[in-house]
Amino acid sequence: MLTRREILLGTSAAVVSLVARSAIAEPVLTAEGLYSEPWFLQSFLDLRNDLEEATKKGKRLAIMWSLKGCPYCKETHVVNFGDQAIVDYVRAHFEILQLNYIGSLPVTDFDGQSLSEKDLARKNNVRFTPTFQFFSEPKTPNDKVSEVARLPGYIEPQHFLAMFRFVKQRAYDLMTFGQFVKNGGT
């Protein structure tokens, strides 16, 4: 919606403002009560296949753990994914699979084990929502997949984007996320 000032001024800035606001897709509320993005990965919940498909596209795989009623999950969608620069970067370099922290859907883990979302969260020591898990890129089919970075809880947009850059650049091989941010996080 345009502001009163933009309407009264009737400038091209008003049109630009309206176009910019409509460019970002609004988060959707799923049947499970989770806020989600329409561009998130639609999956058969086999993490091995999801990682393989992401890798074929030249992207990294991340899991976003969410919970119905979680105010910080909503904040992540409304504020962080409400920023077009963040959305553009994440969509260009990542596939995000959203899982329900207390969900009962069966998920096949990287090791072939089938368990519920809730049990997978427990297996991976996920304690907060939202939590983003980022995974390694196996070089051969026999390489073990591991978590290379984790973002537990909500953080402000600039640091949120920095975490995705940290993973994309594989900076975790050289430094901690804190060092990355301190060094400019770009």
Side-chain angles (χ1 to χ4, degrees):
M1 180 172 215
L2 295 175
T3 66
R4 182 171 184 240
R5 176 185 165 116
E6 291 167 334
I7 292 169
L8 291 174
L9 290 176
T11 65
S12 60
V15 174
V16 170
S17 177
L18 182 61
V19 169
R21 290 179 195 163
S22 63
I24 297 178
E26 292 290 321
V28 296
L29 197 56
T30 68
E32 296 176 299
L34 305 177
Y35 282 92
S36 187
E37 299 299 321
W39 49 268
F40 276 5
L41 179 63
Q42 299 302 308
S43 170
F44 290 112
L45 301 180
D46 185 328
L47 300 183
R48 300 166 300 182
N49 292 340
D50 294 338
L51 179 62
E52 182 181 338
E53 289 302 314
T55 302
K56 282 181 186 176
K57 294 177 183 177
K59 296 182 178 188
R60 302 294 299 266
L61 178 66
I63 293 177
M64 178 185 184
W65 292 96
S66 299
L67 181 65
K68 179 180 179 178
C70 166
Y72 294 111
C73 297
K74 181 178 180 181
E75 190 84 357
T76 298
H77 289 283
V78 172
V79 177
N80 295 8
F81 287 132
D83 181 320
Q84 190 65 54
I86 291 173
V87 170
D88 290 346
Y89 188 86
V90 172
R91 288 186 74 177
H93 302 291
F94 291 86
E95 290 285 356
I96 298 181
L97 173 64
Q98 185 174 28
L99 295 176
N100 185 346
Y101 180 72
I102 60 169
S104 59
L105 293 176
V107 181
T108 302
D109 199 358
F110 297 112
D111 61 9
Q113 182 182 15
S114 181
L115 56 171
S116 70
E117 294 165 287
K118 176 174 57 177
D119 290 336
L120 181 62
R122 190 175 302 125
K123 177 181 177 181
N124 289 316
N125 292 319
V126 175
R127 304 259 188 256
F128 309 101
T129 58
T131 290
F132 285 83
Q133 287 183 281
F134 300 90
F135 298 96
S136 61
E137 300 170 295
K139 305 289 187 249
T140 70
N142 295 330
D143 286 352
K144 184 178 179 186
V145 177
S146 61
E147 181 181 289
V148 295
R150 179 179 290 217
L151 179 57
Y154 177 80
I155 61 173
E156 296 296 321
Q158 70 182 31
H159 293 121
F160 183 76
L161 179 57
M163 175 55 86
F164 283 89
R165 288 185 173 141
F166 176 74
V167 173
K168 169 67 175 127
Q169 295 172 21
R170 294 175 183 80
Y172 49 80
D173 286 333
L174 306 171
M175 64 187 81
T176 66
F177 178 61
Q179 292 167 328
F180 183 77
V181 169
K182 189 175 181 181
N183 292 335
T186 57

